[in-house]
Amino acid sequence: MSTKAKVVDADFATSAVPAANRRSLMTMFMIMLGFTFFSASMWVGQQLAKGLDLSGFIGALILGGIILGGYTGALGFIGAESGLSLDLLAQRSFGIKGSYLPSAMISFTQAGWFGVGLAMFAIPVAKALFGDSQTVMYAMVVLAGVCMTATAYYGIKSLTAISYIAVPCVAILGSAAMFMAISQGEGTIAEQFAKSSGDLTIISGAGLVVGSFVSGGSATPNFTRFAKDAKTGFWTTVIAFFIGNSLMFCFGAVSSIFVGGNANDIFDVMLKLGLFWTAVLVLGLNIWTTNDNALYSTGLGLANITGMDKKKMVLFSGALGTVLAVWLYNNFCPFLGMLNATLPPIGIIIVLSYFMHRDKYQPGAKVELKQIEWGSVIGVIAGAVVANLLPFGIASINGMVVASICYIIGDKMSK
C-alpha cells in the first residue's frame, strides 16, 4: 500500500497559522522592521525637510508615527491573535466574493510598488556605473526583478532570512552615512532645517508621514499572523513602524539638506561621500526587503481571487512588475499615491469587524459567511472617494472615518 507525504503549505495561504509554526519575537521584529525600510519614505523625508523646521519635523514624525503605529498595531494584533492573512480576514468582514475587492486593491498597489522599487534601484545604480545606457538600465531591472521574485517565491522563510541580513546593514551603514553627511555640512542640523520654506504645518507633515506607508501597512496581518501571540504582533509592529519609518525620513531629510533639492535619497549622499558600493548595498537591501513583502502580499491576494497557488501568483506578479518597472516608475507614482488613501478604509473595516464580531474569527468557528457584506464594500468605495477629494485634514483618516460609519450602519441594518 503506497502512502503520500502530506505537503504542508509553509505560508498557510488558505488557513490560520497554527501555534507550532509561529515565530520568535526577534524574528518578527526583523521581518516588520525590514518591511518598513521603504525607499519612497526618503522622498517624504525630503518634503518634510523642505517644509518644516527641526521641531516641526520631529513633531510631524511623532504625530504621524502615533497614527500609523495605532493603525498598523491594531492590524498586527488581529493578525497575530487570529493567525489569518489579510485576505482570510477580509472573507469574514467583506464576504467571500466581497473580499475580492480588498484583495485586488492590495495586490494591485503592492505589485505596482514592486515595479517602482526595481526602477528606484536600477536607474541610479546603472547611471552611476554606465552613464545613460538604456540597455544596462533594463538589464539591471531584469536582474533585480529575478532575484527579488526568487526570494519572494519561497515565502516567509526567505523574508526572514533577507530581513536578518538587510535590517542591520541598512540601519548601521545608512546611519553612518547620514552622520558623515551632517559632519561635513555647514552648520548644525537645526540651522539647516531653519532654511526650510515653512510651507508645511505639523498636521500636514504628519499626513505625509501616515500616507507614506499606510497602504503597505494595511497588509500587516500577512506577516504578524506568524507572531507567537497577539501582544508580540502588536508591539513588534508599533515599534518597527516607528523606528523604521523614522530612519527612512531622517535619511531622506539629510540627503535633501546635504546634497540639495535634486537629491533622490541616501544613495546620492553616499555617492557624495565616496561610498558607492556601500550605497548600492544599502539601497539594494532596503528595496529588497520591502519588495519581497510586497510580492508576498500580492501573491496572497491574487490567490484569494483566482483560487490558484500563491507561489504561481508571486511568479506572475514578479514577472509583470519587472516588465513594467520603468514605465511604472515614470507614470505610476502619482496614481499609486492616490491609491495610498484608498487602502486604510479596508484596514479599519477589518479592525471594526474583528472586535465587533470576534466569534467569526476564532479557530474552528462554525460561521456561515455571506457572499458580500455590502456595508463593507460601500464603506471602502465611499472612504476612498472622500480620502481623495476632501481638501482638508489627513486623507487616510478622513477615509477611515467615512468607511467606519458606512460599515457600522450596514452591520446594524443586516441585523
Side-chain angles (χ1 to χ4, degrees):
M1 179 174 153
S2 63
T3 59
K4 291 184 180 180
K6 185 178 180 181
V7 178
V8 178
D9 175 16
D11 292 300
F12 302 95
T14 59
S15 63
V17 179
N21 295 81
R22 302 297 182 101
R23 296 171 183 265
S24 68
L25 185 149
M26 179 56 68
T27 294
M28 291 309 306
F29 183 66
M30 286 293 183
I31 290 174
M32 297 310 295
L33 199 56
F35 185 31
T36 65
F37 281 0
F38 184 38
S39 290
S41 295
M42 297 180 189
W43 291 352
V44 176
Q46 290 181 334
Q47 292 177 276
L48 294 173
K50 291 176 182 178
L52 294 167
D53 59 16
L54 183 58
S55 62
F57 176 77
I58 295 173
L61 290 191
I62 294 174
L63 178 57
I66 290 172
I67 296 171
L68 191 59
Y71 172 70
T72 58
L75 289 171
F77 177 94
I78 291 169
E81 186 169 78
S82 67
L84 299 173
S85 68
L86 174 75
D87 305 283
L88 296 180
L89 290 168
Q91 288 183 8
R92 289 155 175 79
S93 53
F94 285 80
I96 300 297
K97 292 184 178 179
S99 69
Y100 296 170
L101 175 62
S103 291
M105 291 171 67
I106 288 287
S107 299
F108 185 68
T109 307
Q110 295 304 297
W113 279 122
F114 172 81
V116 172
L118 290 180
M120 288 177 67
F121 171 76
I123 291 175
V125 173
K127 186 173 183 179
L129 284 171
F130 300 99
D132 294 323
S133 171
Q134 295 291 303
T135 302
V136 173
M137 180 188 70
Y138 282 109
M140 190 78 70
V141 168
V142 172
L143 177 61
V146 169
C147 292
M148 293 178 188
T149 302
T151 52
Y153 176 83
Y154 291 102
I156 195 67
K157 292 182 179 179
S158 289
L159 298 185
T160 302
I162 293 293
S163 296
Y164 267 102
I165 296 170
V167 166
C169 285
V170 174
I172 294 171
L173 296 177
S175 297
M178 181 175 63
F179 287 118
M180 287 175 65
I182 292 172
S183 66
Q184 295 186 23
E186 296 181 1
T188 64
I189 296 181
E191 290 171 343
Q192 293 290 344
F193 269 93
K195 299 177 182 179
S196 71
S197 62
D199 57 354
L200 288 177
T201 65
I202 291 180
I203 298 298
S204 58
L208 291 175
V209 170
V210 174
S212 68
F213 206 60
V214 73
S215 62
S218 299
T220 296
N222 288 340
F223 313 105
T224 59
R225 63 198 175 108
F226 288 95
K228 64 179 181 178
D229 53 47
K231 185 184 295 184
T232 300
F234 176 80
W235 285 112
T236 53
T237 300
V238 171
I239 296 172
F241 265 79
F242 190 80
I243 293 176
N245 269 357
S246 296
L247 277 176
M248 294 299 104
F249 295 136
C250 290
F251 289 171
V254 168
S255 73
S256 178
I257 290 172
F258 180 74
V259 181
N262 294 323
N264 285 327
D265 49 45
I266 197 66
F267 186 81
D268 295 285
V269 176
M270 291 182 172
L271 289 184
K272 288 283 186 178
L273 296 171
L275 303 173
F276 173 76
W277 292 110
T278 302
V280 172
L281 181 64
V282 169
L283 183 64
L285 290 175
N286 189 355
I287 290 174
W288 201 322
T289 55
T290 306
N291 267 13
D292 268 15
N293 282 276
L295 266 193
Y296 184 78
S297 294
T298 301
L300 289 172
L302 292 180
N304 180 51
I305 297 171
T306 64
M308 297 179 68
D309 180 65
K310 186 221 56 160
K311 289 187 175 182
K312 292 180 180 178
M313 294 295 94
V314 167
L315 292 178
F316 169 77
S317 304
L320 185 63
T322 300
V323 170
L324 298 176
V326 177
W327 181 86
L328 289 169
Y329 180 79
N330 291 328
N331 299 282
F332 209 51
C333 282
F335 189 50
L336 285 173
M338 181 192 73
L339 288 176
N340 279 351
T342 68
L343 296 183
I346 293 173
I348 198 64
I349 286 174
I350 288 176
V351 170
L352 288 173
S353 175
Y354 186 82
F355 288 109
M356 291 172 65
H357 303 286
R358 218 159 178 169
D359 56 306
K360 293 166 60 173
Y361 298 85
Q362 300 309 309
K366 302 295 183 181
V367 180
E368 185 177 349
L369 300 178
K370 294 182 180 180
Q371 289 299 304
I372 299 178
E373 294 280 2
W374 287 106
S376 300
V377 173
I378 293 172
V380 167
I381 296 172
V385 170
V386 170
N388 283 288
L389 297 182
L390 200 65
F392 56 84
I394 296 176
S396 54
I397 294 180
N398 294 339
M400 285 192 279
V401 170
V402 172
S404 299
I405 294 171
C406 292
Y407 172 77
I408 292 172
I409 293 174
D411 184 68
K412 297 299 182 183
M413 291 178 64
S414 68
K415 294 180 178 179

